[in-house]
Structures are given as C-alpha cells and as structure tokens.
Amino acid sequence: MNLKDRGLQGTVLLTGATGGLGGELLPRLLRRHPACRVAALVRGDTPQQAAGRLGEAMDYGGLSPAERARVSLCHGDVSQPRFGLAEPAWRELAARTRRVFHLAASVDFDLPLDASRAANVDSTRAVLAFAEEAMRASADFRLNYVSTAYVSGRRNGRLGEDELDQGQAFCNGYEQSKFEAEQLVWQASGWLPLTVYRPSQIIGESRAGRIRKFFGYYEFLKLAERGRMPVLPANAGARPDLVPADYVCEAMLHLDASAHAVGRCYHLTAGLANSPDFERIFGLMYQELAERRPDGNGRAPAKPRMFRPEDLEAMASPEELRRFHLSPLKLLLRTYRAYLAEERDFDCAATQAELAAAGIALPDVEAALRLSTRYALDARFGQRARSGAFERQPA
C-alpha cells in the first residue's frame, strides 16, 4: 500500500523547523497528513526562547489553531547526544516517532571545519542513534535526511545521484561536514529505511517568493539595495543552481510516501538547463531595484560592472577598487567566491521526470527569483517579522 493512501499516523520529529526550509515544510506536512502530530526539536537558551522561535515559525506558516495544537515543542539540541534530553524523555519520544525529517544544519560557510563538524556531523550521529531507537518500536519508521548538492565540492563534471566520494576537495567546512555527514547516513542505509535529498541553493517559494532566512543571493541583494556593491565579482556566464523552497518541500513529502524511494538519493535542484546565468540574475536584481527601491535622491542604484573574481584586481578601475576594499562586499566575496566563479552540474533529470509525472513540476526559476527579490525587499529582509533575521545562524 502506498503510504499516502492512509496518511501518516503517529509522531513526526522535525529538526530545523525554524529554518528557511523547515518553515515551508511544517505547514505542508501538517496539511498533507492531518492525522499526524509534529514534535519540533528547537534549540534555545531557555524553553521560553525555544517556544518563541517555534511560535514565529508557526506564525510564518499561517498555522490554524487546530494545526498549532498538533505541534509540540521539544526543547533540545540536535547536535548533542540524545538531543540533550533526559534518557526517559528521549526514549519516550523515539517510541512514538514514525518519521524523522532532519533539516537542521549550520549553513555558515565561514565556520572552521571543527565547528561545522560539531553542528552537521554530530547532529547526524544523534539523529541516527535516535532512528535506531525508534525502529525498535515501529516497523514503518523512516528517516528523511536533507543533505546538500554541494557535497560535490570542487569536482568537475556532473554529479550523479548515486555518487558521493569522488576524491573531491571542498570550498569550505560546510561542504566537507555535510559530505562527511552523508557518508554516515549511507553507512546506516543497510539497516535503516531512509531517503537522502540534495537541494541546491534555496530561494523563496514560487507563488509569492516567501522565505524565512535570507542567505546567499539575498545578501548580495541587500548590499545592492544600499548602494554597497561597487562591482559585481562574478563569472557572467556561470549558472548558479537556484531552486524554489516549495518545490523542495513538495518533492520530499511526495517521495516520503513512496516505498521505492527508500535507499535512494534525489537531487532537488534546477539543473543547468533551467538556471539563468549571473548576467541575467544581477540584471534582474537591478531591474527590480530600479522599479521599487530608488535611492534617497530619487535615483535607482546603478548596476556596476561585472568582473570574474580572479580578474577583479587587474581589470577594475582604481575608484572601483577603492570602493570595493571599503565595502562589505569584500567580506562577502571571501565567503561566496567559489560559487560566483564556477558553475556546478547536478544530474537531476530522472528526479525531475519522476516528480513531474506526479504533478510536481519545477517552477520557472527566473520567475521565482523575481518574486523572491520583491518579497525580500518588501519584507525588509525579515526585519518586519523580527529583528536579527539577517543574522547567519544554524537553521
């Protein structure tokens, strides 16, 4: 029987519920499976702080009172043994859990490798230990594990869904720690029913551009709006892989209900053929700024010249370089340089065909990016919802 036919029963443990992707998954999960309950594992210095973070996520998701009643707070830390819970509470939670969606991760590219491992590898170990305990109580337990397409690291060529360790180097501790964490997951796949998802760079959902966390593209947009981008340090023809959040969420929920997805990896990516290049992306960004965010003198921020990151020092004018070295863009370039200089090729043809057959088609990426840009500008990068939304922190 297809799991979707009877709906998911029991408890779903969701990590990363307060993150960008988790904020989109939570309401969809509750509405797809009206008989399930969700235990949201949320960190916080105090239970009150964790409850506040979860409340903001539920507000964002537009949860009804009845839906909120099906969500319980589990105050803990996914990177700690037993999630930092007392052993009886941990065992009780495992005994009633039928699914885990592990979305939580530190997405700070600037962390040292040891810190990234502590967040991403240790959390995976803790989730796998929890899954082993949960399987004792339920024969239909299953783990949905969110990795990243960027386990590809610096390798050249197309990354297949059945590939992982190709001897590649990595751009940062985030990529390497997610690679090492996924290795642990596959080591457990012999005894644990699981599915691995590798999304690329997540942007706002495709209907209105909504998103909770403003990383990556949004960091450049914020500088551009403020007139703090004196140059565009990117390979104009390179195509970054951007994927709308709703596509990722709908894909995961569909595949979780498919028995044949157990033991498989899915690239939830756009693919190069569906991805606009940087010339088009930054053109769209400045077009939106011209229409919606004129500067204090009534002029829109001018689109600066674009240079490959490695050519910047040699080809930019003295004034462009002076402004660049005084701009926050210089620090941002340290974080994202590799992603601006090269494109990565993720094989997603089979996954997209399977999802399209189920009615889950990849949205138009450029249209979603335009809506995402408008949403970020209108929402002041999350400042209307809460202060500090632009702070880079684990999901």
Side-chain angles (χ1 to χ4, degrees), residues 50 70 87 154 288 327:
R70 293 165 50 209
E87 184 171 351
R154 294 183 178 274
E288 287 297 321
S327 168

Side-chain angles (χ1 to χ4, degrees), residues 80-104:
Q80 297 299 310
R82 296 197 306 269
F83 305 148
L85 304 176
E87 184 171 351
W90 180 79
R91 292 188 184 279
E92 186 277 331
L93 177 61
R96 58 185 169 88
T97 296
R98 299 296 177 266
R99 287 289 188 283
V100 171
F101 281 85
H102 179 41
L103 278 60

Side-chain angles (χ1 to χ4, degrees), residues 42-51 53 75-76:
V42 182
R43 60 186 173 81
D45 294 337
T46 65
Q48 293 76 17
Q49 185 186 68
R53 296 184 67 215
H75 176 220

Side-chain angles (χ1 to χ4, degrees), residues 29-213:
L29 175 61
L30 291 165
R31 292 159 193 167
R32 184 180 180 93
H33 298 292
C36 82
R37 301 184 67 86
V38 174
L41 181 62
V42 182
R43 60 186 173 81
D45 294 337
T46 65
Q48 293 76 17
Q49 185 186 68
R53 296 184 67 215
L54 179 58
E56 290 174 355
M58 292 192 291
D59 290 344
Y60 172 84
L63 269 58
S64 69
E67 290 168 338
R68 289 172 184 264
R70 293 165 50 209
V71 180
S72 61
L73 170 67
C74 182
H75 176 220
D77 185 338
V78 69
S79 67
Q80 297 299 310
R82 296 197 306 269
F83 305 148
L85 304 176
E87 184 171 351
W90 180 79
R91 292 188 184 279
E92 186 277 331
L93 177 61
R96 58 185 169 88
T97 296
R98 299 296 177 266
R99 287 289 188 283
V100 171
F101 281 85
H102 179 41
L103 278 60
S106 170
V107 295
D108 189 338
F109 293 178
D110 297 324
L111 284 180
L113 179 57
D114 286 349
S116 291
R117 282 173 170 157
N120 297 330
V121 180
D122 289 353
S123 66
T124 299
R125 286 196 183 97
V127 166
L128 292 174
F130 180 85
E132 184 175 11
E133 181 68 18
M135 285 187 64
R136 302 179 195 278
S138 174
D140 66 350
F141 174 85
R142 187 161 159 185
L143 169 64
N144 293 279
Y145 180 82
V146 178
S147 181
T148 174
Y150 293 94
V151 294
S152 61
R154 294 183 178 274
R155 63 164 287 177
N156 295 319
R158 178 170 294 184
L159 177 69
E161 292 176 326
D162 59 348
E163 296 177 323
L164 180 59
D165 189 354
Q166 302 293 310
Q168 64 266 46
F170 300 96
C171 298
N172 48 54
Y174 167 76
E175 288 185 354
Q176 184 168 343
S177 66
K178 291 294 286 185
F179 166 85
E180 292 173 1
E182 191 179 319
Q183 285 183 312
L184 294 179
V185 172
W186 289 119
Q187 289 168 15
S189 64
W191 56 268
L192 175 62
L194 59 86
T195 305
V196 172
Y197 309 101
R198 293 178 184 162
S200 55
Q201 301 176 55
I202 294 173
I203 58 174
E205 51 83 30
S206 61
R207 295 181 181 178
R210 296 174 72 246
I211 197 166
R212 289 203 71 220
K213 298 295 178 81

